[in-house]
Amino acid sequence: MPADAPLFPLRTVVLGAFVPTFVFDVGVGAMLPVVAPTATGLGASLAVAGVVAALLPVGQILTDLPAGALADRFGDRRAMLGAGGVAAVAFATAAFAPHLLTFAAAVLALGAASAVFNLARHSYLTEITPPLRRARVLSTLGGVHRIGQFVGPFVGALVIHGGDVRGVYLLGAAAAVVATAVLVVVREDPTARRQPAVGMISGPVHPGRPDSGPQKTHPQRPTLRGVLREHRRLLATLGTAVLLVAAVRGARQTVIPLWGEHLGLDPAVTSLIFGVAGGVDMLLFYPAGKVMDRMGRLWVGVPAMLVMGIALALLPLTQSAASLAGAAALLGLGNGMSSGILMTLGSDVSPAHGRARFLGLWRVLQDSGTAAGPLVISAGAALGSLALGVWAAAVLGPAAAAALGRWVPRWTVHANRTTRRRAGLLT
C-alpha cells in the first residue's frame, strides 16, 4: 500500500464532499424536467421555454471563471457554503416567481451557484486527496453526481403527485439548505494532508516523491491573466482534448430523446430507455477510477471515447425501441467508463499556486464542450438530417481518443520503492 494511504481523509471526503454533492444534485435533478413546463405556465412560448431551460448551463459557463476567483480568495469550503446559500434562494425564488423574467433570473442564478459549488468541491478534493487515490475519488464524485441527478426526477415526480410543480423548487431549496448544513457541521479534518500539485514538470522525478521536481515560488496571489499566460500551451493542447471529450458526453444527453422522437416512440418509452442508459452509466464509476489509478488515465479515456463514438454511429441505424435501447446502453457504458476523467486530468495538471483559477479555466473548456455537443446534433437536424448530426457527433469520439492519446502526458510514479511506468498517469 502506498505510504500516503493511511492519511486518506475518508470522513472529510465522504461527509464533506460526497454527501453534500448527492443532496445538492437531487434538488437540481428534480428541477431539470420541470423548468420548461414552468416557463410555459408563466406565458413563454416553446422556443422561449427552451431558452430559459438553457440558462442553467449558460449560468455555469459564465460563472466558471469568477468561481475560480472566489474559491481562490475565500477558500474552497467558504465558496461551497456561499454557493449553497445562493442556490437555496434561487430555488425559493423560482418557486414563487410572479413572472417569467424573475423565473429566468432564478434559473441563471442557480446555474451560477452550481458552477461555484462544483469548482470549489473539485479544488477541495484535489487539495486533500493523495495523488495515488485521486482518480478513484474524483470518479466516485462523478458517480455521486450522476446518482443524484438520476434520483432527483423520481423524487420530484412524487412531490408533484402530492402537490404541484412549485413543490419541486421547494424541494430543491431544502436540498441546498441540507447540503450547506452538512458542510457547516463537517469541518475540515486538520490532520488531512494538503496534496501538492503534480503539474506539467519537465525535469526528472525524484524517487519516493511523485510530486517533486523543479518548483517555482509564487509570493503573490495569482491573477487569471497570469495563470492563463503560464499555462496557455497546456490549455491549447490538452484543453482541446477536454473540449472534444465533453462534446461527446454532451451529445449523449440530447441524442436519445431526439432519436426517440424521430422514431415516433411514446415519451414514456423514451424516458425508460434514457433511464436504462443512466443505470448502465452508474455501474462503472468506481471501477473506472480504480483502473485510472492503477494503470493510467489513457486506459479509460481512450476506450471510453471509442465506445461512445461507435454507439453514436450505430444509433441512427436503430429502427425500434429495442434497438435504440441497445445503442443507448452502449452509450451509457462508454459514458460510465469516462466518469471523473476530466476532473482527474484537471487535478493532475493544476498548479499548487492558483489552482482554483486554473480549474476555473479548465471548467470553461469542459462546460463549453458539453454545450457544444448538442449543438452539433442540432446543426445536422437544421440542415435536414438528424442522422447526419448524430454521425457528426460520432466522429468526435475517435477524435477525442486521438487527442487524449496525443496530449495526456506519460509519467513515472515512485511508490513503496517500486518504480512503475503508467501511461497517461501524471501523479
Side-chain angles (χ1 to χ4, degrees):
M1 181 177 292
D4 58 0
L7 299 178
F8 180 63
L10 183 62
R11 177 180 177 273
T12 306
V13 168
V14 173
L15 297 181
F18 290 169
V19 171
T21 294
F22 173 75
V23 175
F24 189 89
D25 282 324
V26 166
V28 174
M31 181 204 72
L32 289 176
V34 300
V35 171
T38 303
T40 56
L42 291 171
S45 64
L46 289 177
V48 173
V51 172
V52 172
L55 289 177
L56 186 69
V58 167
Q60 292 177 325
I61 295 173
L62 292 178
T63 316
D64 280 332
L65 294 180
L70 286 171
D72 182 65
R73 179 172 294 275
F74 298 107
D76 303 328
R77 291 188 74 256
R78 289 183 179 179
M80 283 190 282
L81 290 170
V86 171
V89 173
F91 273 120
T93 302
F96 299 103
H99 45 71
L100 184 62
L101 286 179
T102 304
F103 178 72
V107 174
L108 186 66
L110 183 60
S114 298
V116 176
F117 190 90
N118 293 338
L119 182 138
R121 177 193 59 189
H122 184 186
S123 179
Y124 176 66
L125 288 179
T126 301
E127 289 279 347
I128 67 173
T129 305
L132 294 180
R133 294 178 182 262
R134 178 177 291 156
R136 274 170 283 186
V137 169
L138 292 177
S139 64
T140 301
L141 178 65
V144 169
H145 169 77
R146 287 165 163 81
I147 294 171
Q149 295 210 352
F150 180 78
V151 171
F154 294 101
V155 178
L158 291 175
V159 170
I160 295 173
H161 181 72
D164 58 16
V165 174
R166 180 180 296 175
V168 172
Y169 298 103
L170 297 179
L171 168 68
V177 169
V178 171
T180 305
V182 171
L183 289 170
V184 171
V185 172
V186 182
R187 297 186 178 276
E188 184 176 354
D189 185 354
T191 65
R193 184 177 65 186
R194 291 280 167 171
Q195 305 300 326
V198 178
M200 298 284 289
I201 308 173
S202 58
V205 180
H206 188 277
R209 290 187 57 195
D211 56 319
S212 65
Q215 301 292 329
K216 297 180 181 179
T217 58
H218 302 270
Q220 298 180 346
R221 185 182 296 277
T223 63
L224 177 62
R225 179 178 297 178
V227 172
L228 179 60
R229 181 173 60 250
E230 184 175 353
H231 301 284
R232 61 185 181 276
R233 182 178 179 184
L234 168 67
L235 293 170
T237 54
L238 187 57
T240 300
V242 170
L243 273 169
L244 291 170
V245 171
V248 174
R249 293 167 67 173
R252 165 194 164 273
Q253 299 177 349
T254 304
V255 68
I256 297 173
L258 285 178
W259 196 255
E261 181 69 19
H262 173 75
L263 294 179
L265 300 180
D266 185 271
V269 175
T270 303
S271 297
L272 180 61
I273 293 172
F274 196 89
V276 168
V280 174
D281 187 335
M282 290 186 295
L283 294 175
L284 296 175
F285 61 85
Y286 187 78
K290 194 166 185 178
V291 170
M292 281 194 281
D293 275 336
R294 289 183 176 273
M295 301 179 66
R297 309 330 188 200
L298 291 180
W299 285 83
V300 164
V302 171
M305 290 301 101
L306 293 178
V307 168
M308 293 190 75
I310 291 170
L312 287 168
L314 292 176
L315 195 138
L317 305 179
T318 61
Q319 300 294 328
S320 64
S323 57
L324 176 58
L330 186 61
L331 201 55
L333 178 70
N335 197 55
M337 290 169 61
S338 66
S339 177
I341 189 169
L342 295 183
M343 288 190 292
T344 301
L345 290 173
S347 295
D348 285 341
V349 298
S350 64
H353 187 69
R355 174 176 284 123
R357 291 180 184 271
F358 177 87
L359 291 178
L361 291 165
W362 189 265
R363 294 196 72 91
V364 168
L365 294 171
Q366 183 175 335
D367 290 342
S368 297
T370 301
L375 293 179
V376 171
I377 297 174
S378 299
L383 293 174
S385 174
L386 178 59
L388 181 63
V390 177
W391 280 323
V395 173
L396 297 178
L404 289 172
R406 172 65 181 84
W407 286 310
V408 171
R410 280 64 168 169
W411 212 257
T412 299
V413 175
H414 299 269
N416 275 355
R417 301 179 181 177
T418 301
T419 302
R420 291 170 288 180
R421 183 70 177 176
R422 296 180 178 182
L425 180 59
L426 293 179
T427 53

